[in-house]
């Protein structure tokens, strides 16, 4: 299973070679890891984010809910 994001939804699905919606870049910051979604269109470069109860993608910010350990 692969972590997938389409638009701002995040979910697991069967992995598929070359699927941009399943590709993430791990970025180290001094506070932890950020996961940048490859995607395309208006959501290109969004980051994995959370509000404490659900997970989604949105533009980068300095919030602690975009950090993953």
């Amino acid at each position: 299973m692969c972590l997938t994001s389409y638009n701002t939804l995040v979910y697991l699905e069967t992995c598929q070679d070359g699927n941009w919606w399943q590709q993430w870049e791990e970025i180290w910051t001094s506070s932890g890891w950020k996961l940048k979604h490859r995607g395309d269109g208006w959501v290109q470069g969004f980051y994995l984010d959370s509000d404490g109860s659900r997970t989604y993608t949105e533009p980068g910010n300095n919030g602690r809910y975009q950090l993953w350990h």
Side-chain angles (χ1 to χ4, degrees):
M1 300 302 286
C2 284
L3 183 65
T4 307
S5 179
Y6 182 74
N7 290 327
T8 59
L9 301 174
V10 174
Y11 52 93
L12 294 174
E13 70 178 10
T14 302
C15 298
Q16 302 166 351
D17 286 342
N19 185 341
W20 282 22
W21 305 107
Q22 296 175 342
Q23 295 179 15
W24 301 84
E25 178 183 357
E26 298 169 329
I27 300 171
W28 173 251
T29 72
S30 60
S31 302
W33 292 96
K34 293 182 85 168
L35 294 175
K36 185 177 180 181
H37 186 240
R38 182 171 180 186
D40 71 1
W42 68 275
V43 295
Q44 183 175 8
F46 275 28
Y47 290 84
L48 186 63
D49 204 337
S50 175
D51 62 8
S53 62
R54 55 191 185 94
T55 305
Y56 48 88
T57 60
E58 75 169 29
N61 60 49
N62 292 324
R64 66 184 177 127
Y65 290 118
Q66 285 189 345
L67 296 173
W68 304 90
H69 302 273

